[in-house]
Amino acid sequence: MAARGHTGPILPGGTLGILGGGQLGSMFAAAAKRMGYRVEAISDVADCPAAIHCDRLHVGSFTDAALLARVAADCDAVTFEFENVPVEAGRALAAAVPVRPDPEVLHTTQDRAREKAFLSAHGFACAPFRIVDAHAGLKQAVAEIGLPAVLKTAAFGYDGKGQVKLLAAGDVDAAWARCGAGPDGSRRLVLEGFVDFDCEISVVAARGVDGTVAAFPPKRNDHAHHILDVSSVPARLPDGVLAEATTVATRILETLGVVGVACVEFFVSRDGRVLVNEIAPRTHNSGHLTIEACETSQFEQQVRAVCGLPLGSTRLRSPAAMANLLGDCWTAGDPDWAAALGVPGVRLHLYGKREARPGRKMGHLTALAATVEEAVERVTTARRLACRG
Ligand code: AMP
């Protein structure tokens, strides 16, 4: 594929490609369409959320060279909406069309071991960790890090998948057995010290082609069963903690050379330390409330960054809270949307997924209010009413 050079910004009328067809791709496509772009997506299934907003959905595999060549020929720039895209696909595309963020950012962040090595090489504070590839190595790592600790698979882990908590020395064998081997029988794992955190926060930020960074206000994130449950903003933490998280996120985007949007998730320890948990080089679930709460949404910001346009204002217009709607909400039948939407200040987003499986992210609710406490109250009340308790 021959490289195509762009001298200026990619303007409305241009075509943007997205690797992945999930809800993040769908909301990116909606923002891009509103701004006058054409959007093409690659997904392995036809019936995906991005199909709703894309001009063209390519159903196929990221390893299909002919498909990648077609997308490169159609698009002025390509981005991705989830990390588990093969880096080789990104590299093949990048030879022909700008891929933003660069596939090398994906390479670093899609593997926990590489991500941790990056963080420690550049002095970004995170939980103590060891990279483990053998049973004996795990025992040694436990001796060095101490317990409790969390063992995580290096690749393809998200929302707590591929994670085991170790509480006692006797847990080592079971944890080793549970963190599965790769297709070749090898294991790449990361053992992390368990952080006794006060709360979790995240900073979604964008970096433009010119190196300008614009960070959204940090969100407080409450998880249930390792999956994000409620995000809220302002995060109700001291200004110094919020400023530190914003500075660290900005420096991470700069150090990685991100062009596009990325999210940095943090633990705030009980003694006030701000520790990086993980980096996602894309829009993030905790940033969904920017659609209603900020002057620019994370999805419009991704369009602007990917296209080389000026970044939009990230100013918070109102305190806000977002509650995820998982498939579990459908257990007792269709949710009562009318009841949820009767709560003042509440907005509903459904992603168009047909099958409501437990734990599957089907949509979210956002509430705006005069205070963040009221926004959390509104959004959780709306969800309780929708999901019938
Ligand atoms: P992750 O997929 O690494 O983001 O982990 C999912 C969730 O598990 C996090 O949001 C935390 O709530 C919890 N968790 C993961 N790693 C740790 C850790 N080292 N210490 C405490 N809690 C953790």
Side-chain angles (χ1 to χ4, degrees), residues 112 127 150 152 157-161 163 192-197 200 223 226 265 267 277-278:
R112 286 186 199 276
V150 189
K152 305 179 176 183
Y158 64 96
D159 288 344
K161 293 188 172 63
Q163 284 190 26
E192 264 179 45
F194 190 80
V195 180
D196 181 23
F197 58 78
E200 294 180 76
H223 292 78
H226 296 284
E265 293 182 75
F267 299 121
N277 173 23
E278 59 182 5

Side-chain angles (χ1 to χ4, degrees), residues 131-140 176 187 189:
I131 296 167
V132 169
D133 59 9
H135 189 246
L138 177 58
K139 285 197 168 151
Q140 176 68 26
W176 175 255
R187 270 178 241 230
L189 306 169

Side-chain angles (χ1 to χ4, degrees), residues 53-332:
H53 295 296
C54 280
D55 295 276
R56 188 166 180 199
L57 179 71
H58 301 270
V59 181
S61 160
F62 297 124
T63 57
D64 179 344
L67 174 56
L68 296 177
R70 270 205 305 285
V71 170
D74 284 357
C75 293
D76 297 293
V78 173
T79 188
F80 37 85
E81 63 112 42
F82 78 129
E83 290 94 306
N84 292 333
V85 171
V87 173
E88 286 313 325
R91 288 179 181 148
L93 284 162
V97 62
V99 177
R100 294 171 177 162
D102 190 278
E104 300 320 309
V105 176
L106 193 63
H107 183 251
T108 303
T109 55
Q110 73 180 185
D111 177 283
R112 286 186 199 276
R114 276 196 292 269
E115 185 173 277
K116 292 277 192 240
F118 162 81
L119 291 170
S120 65
H122 294 278
F124 295 112
C126 57
F129 71 92
R130 293 287 183 280
I131 296 167
V132 169
D133 59 9
H135 189 246
L138 177 58
K139 285 197 168 151
Q140 176 68 26
V142 167
E144 288 170 13
I145 300 268
L147 293 171
V150 189
L151 185 64
K152 305 179 176 183
T153 52
F156 299 111
Y158 64 96
D159 288 344
K161 293 188 172 63
Q163 284 190 26
V164 189
K165 189 170 173 185
L166 285 84
L167 295 171
D171 295 343
V172 166
D173 292 349
W176 175 255
R178 270 189 61 192
C179 277
D184 60 354
S186 70
R187 270 178 241 230
R188 270 168 58 73
L189 306 169
V190 175
L191 184 78
E192 264 179 45
F194 190 80
V195 180
D196 181 23
F197 58 78
D198 171 44
C199 66
E200 294 180 76
I201 60 174
S202 58
V203 175
V204 176
R207 185 166 173 273
V209 170
D210 64 357
T212 310
V213 176
F216 289 95
K219 264 74 68 181
R220 174 185 282 253
N221 299 324
D222 296 306
H223 292 78
H225 311 294
H226 296 284
I227 302 176
L228 182 62
D229 186 43
V230 173
S231 287
S232 55
V233 63
R236 288 163 283 163
L237 287 167
D239 287 348
V241 169
L242 301 179
E244 185 179 342
T246 304
T247 302
V248 169
T250 300
R251 283 184 39 226
I252 286 177
L253 266 73
E254 289 170 346
T255 311
L256 280 170
V258 169
V259 174
V261 168
C263 177
V264 183
E265 293 182 75
F266 299 92
F267 299 121
V268 180
S269 70
R270 292 196 192 277
D271 54 3
R273 286 174 304 138
V274 177
L275 304 173
V276 177
N277 173 23
E278 59 182 5
I279 308 164
R282 52 165 171 78
T283 54
H284 194 259
N285 195 168
S286 65
H288 291 354
L289 50 69
T290 61
I291 296 173
E292 288 89 2
C294 291
E295 281 182 3
T296 308
S297 78
Q298 63 169 346
F299 301 103
E300 174 169 339
Q301 200 74 304
Q302 187 181 22
V303 174
R304 287 173 176 246
V306 165
C307 291
L309 291 166
L311 299 179
S313 162
T314 55
R315 195 181 73 81
L316 189 67
R317 291 199 290 206
S318 165
M322 185 264 351
N324 268 334
L325 294 164
L326 302 183
D328 313 62
C329 183
W330 276 250
T331 311

